[in-house]
Amino acid sequence: MYASVKSAGLRGFSAELVTVEVDLSSGLPRFDLVGLPNSAVSESKERVRSAVRSCSFQFPISRITVNLAPADFRKEGPIYDLPIFTAMMLADGQILSGQKTLERKLKELETSVFLGELSLNGDVRRVRGVLPMLIAAREHGMKEAFIPAGNAREATAVSDALRVYPVRTLSELLAHLRGETLITPVEPVAFEELVRRSRSAGAPDFSEVVGQKEARRALEISAAGGHNVLLVGPPGSGKSMLAKRLPGILPEMTFDEALETTNIYSVGGLLPEDLPLMVERPFRSPHHTATLAAMTGGGTQALPGEVTLAHNGVLFLDETPHFQRQVLEALRQPLEDRSITIVRSRFRATYPGNIQVVGAMNPCPCGYHGVPYAENGQVCSCSLPDIRRYVERLSGPFLDRIDIHVRVRPVPERLLLEAKPAECSADIRARVVAARALQKARFAGSGIRCNAGMTRAQVTEFCALDERGQDLLLAAHEKNGFSARSHDKILKVARTIADLAGSADIRTEHLAEAIQLHAMDRYIDP
């Protein structure tokens, strides 16, 4: 007897459908699994065998051949346990008996997808990557899906167009397929309701930051235009505290952005079981000992790295100079392309990487260069060569991709004692959202979301300077030796500053502030 059902598999960030075929034939009992499976898939034979017996079903005493098609697509993970079991039970007549009845049932299941790992006692376990596989199934015309109950929450994002049945045990699945006890499909959750809940959850707020007027202004500009930032200051000046509050002033994610981000965490197996959609922008803060694979992604299963996990959010690099040189250099391409392509001998995967990088570093190895003794109680013990070697751990090409460089000064003791309330994140976000609205209208239909993503042609069109502005920028170039990339980044930041001011044109004061925020000599000069 022959039967087949549909399943799906991951290929990097995307998914494609897989047909699971089972043929039961005469001969000595044997279980063959073909179709380019990895070891985790090959082990499905033993999991399925034990699960069948634990649920008091009859394991077929025949030659069993399972084919996972297409055969040139490498199958990975335990996700094929459930479809293998379903197809085998159909072929053996243990779900429905009779040739005509079986053919009718197979016809009904042509638009059904089965995903899930089996435990030895017949429970259906949660697996990673369910959301992108359900999206792929929907795009291929599938009408219903049977998934582990542990993945039910993430399936709510597509349950409006696809009937999704959460399966807890094999007995429950067979009762549904026989029409005895139907499984209640997953109910969709309103995106607006999830956003409302996230607002009331509470997040780090800028009202808790004392002083730091220059740094607060720099992060507001960064949020308004999607620009990368490097914070330079002594220990305890508030660099990490400032960075952690950046997501709180970014615009709320759209449904498409939330779906993209949730897809990534589903593929990586990092999505919490009780979270339907990630509606808060990610904030990733890898330790400076992170390896190249951890940052960019890869491995045997092509899992996303920190760059991709921070998609639509913030990647915070604390103690930036202490990251491995090759790790920082690997960020150069995704900072330009807003994506990262991982190429290995067996696979090629392109992951999204639309991120804002926030770096934090000390001005010197001891951390106190340029800090007055009276303000901190410390004096710098580093020589100028030591400072230069420390700063030069960040290459010129990497620094050139950072739009804003800002010095974070120690907070005077009197301000800490006064503890006056500062402007809250909600008020700053309102200005950021207004500036982003201007950019959305400006770049409508182009695929660009904010000023930081402008192309060279768009910079020429939207960042025109008057004669006075051109003279100012020329003088800055002659003094600092800016590259062509820095030229464009200064104009993009100036455009953002103008947007925050509600100005249609880039005025001289906007350009002057942008130039000041991009100057790199401040790392050494006090």
Side-chain angles (χ1 to χ4, degrees), residues 435-447:
R436 287 285 185 109
L438 295 175
Q439 295 164 49
K440 183 178 180 181
R442 178 182 300 135
F443 304 124
S446 67

Side-chain angles (χ1 to χ4, degrees), residues 167-472:
V167 182
R168 293 176 176 81
T169 65
L170 294 182
S171 300
E172 189 178 77
L173 173 64
L174 262 61
H176 177 92
L177 295 178
R178 290 168 177 164
E180 297 169 354
T181 306
L182 299 182
I183 302 172
T184 304
V186 172
E187 293 291 335
V189 176
F191 177 68
E192 295 76 12
E193 175 63 18
L194 294 175
V195 173
R196 187 190 63 78
R197 291 179 195 169
S198 71
R199 287 188 197 134
S200 59
D205 198 280
F206 266 97
S207 61
E208 302 164 347
V209 178
V210 178
Q212 303 298 1
K213 182 178 179 181
E214 181 182 359
R216 291 168 64 101
R217 170 66 174 170
L219 290 178
E220 180 178 339
I221 295 169
S222 168
H227 305 291
N228 303 316
V229 186
L230 184 60
L231 305 172
V232 185
S237 57
K239 302 185 294 296
S240 298
M241 187 177 187
L242 286 161
K244 291 175 182 178
R245 281 149 182 78
L246 179 58
I249 63 173
L250 291 171
E252 291 175 348
M253 284 204 288
T254 63
F255 177 78
D256 289 339
E257 288 177 327
L259 195 60
E260 284 179 354
T261 305
T262 308
N263 253 347
I264 292 167
Y265 280 74
S266 178
V267 169
L270 300 174
L271 187 67
E273 188 172 333
D274 60 345
L275 189 64
L277 273 178
M278 293 190 63
V279 296
E280 295 182 7
R281 295 192 179 273
F283 180 86
R284 302 293 298 183
S285 180
H287 193 261
H288 62 262
T289 57
T291 63
L292 180 62
M295 187 66 72
T296 61
T300 57
Q301 295 180 313
L303 295 178
E306 293 294 333
V307 171
T308 305
L309 294 173
H311 179 60
N312 290 324
V314 176
L315 177 63
F316 178 46
L317 305 178
D318 200 8
E319 304 294 344
T320 308
H322 292 287
F323 280 82
Q324 298 177 37
R325 184 69 172 254
Q326 62 174 351
V327 172
L328 293 179
E329 296 305 298
L331 295 178
R332 287 159 52 179
Q333 185 178 354
L335 287 179
E336 291 289 322
D337 300 339
R338 305 290 175 178
S339 64
I340 186 165
T341 300
I342 304 167
V343 181
R344 300 292 185 270
S345 59
R346 292 184 177 180
F347 64 85
R348 176 189 179 94
T350 298
Y351 288 117
N354 183 29
I355 59 174
Q356 279 185 256
V357 168
V358 179
M361 61 178 286
N362 297 327
C364 66
C366 79
Y368 297 104
H369 176 67
V371 179
Y373 177 83
E375 291 186 12
N376 190 273
Q378 299 283 346
V379 291
C380 178
S381 59
C382 305
S383 64
L384 190 58
D386 290 337
I387 298 173
R388 290 191 180 277
R389 279 193 295 271
Y390 176 76
V391 172
E392 286 169 1
R393 292 180 183 178
L394 306 182
S395 69
F398 174 77
L399 289 174
D400 211 24
R401 286 166 170 80
I402 304 298
D403 310 59
I404 297 173
H405 307 76
V406 60
R407 191 69 177 259
V408 182
R409 305 285 182 178
V411 181
E413 183 68 21
R414 57 180 179 78
L415 291 181
L416 293 173
L417 292 173
E418 290 175 2
K420 291 183 179 179
E423 187 177 29
C424 66
S425 293
D427 294 339
I428 302 174
R429 175 188 269 185
R431 295 194 294 270
V432 169
V433 169
R436 287 285 185 109
L438 295 175
Q439 295 164 49
K440 183 178 180 181
R442 178 182 300 135
F443 304 124
S446 67
I448 303 297
R449 298 178 180 178
C450 53
N451 289 334
M454 276 193 282
T455 63
R456 186 69 188 85
Q458 289 170 330
V459 170
T460 303
E461 180 180 358
F462 300 119
C463 301
L465 302 175
D466 57 20
E467 185 175 349
R468 188 180 173 190
Q470 292 177 4
D471 292 341
L472 177 60

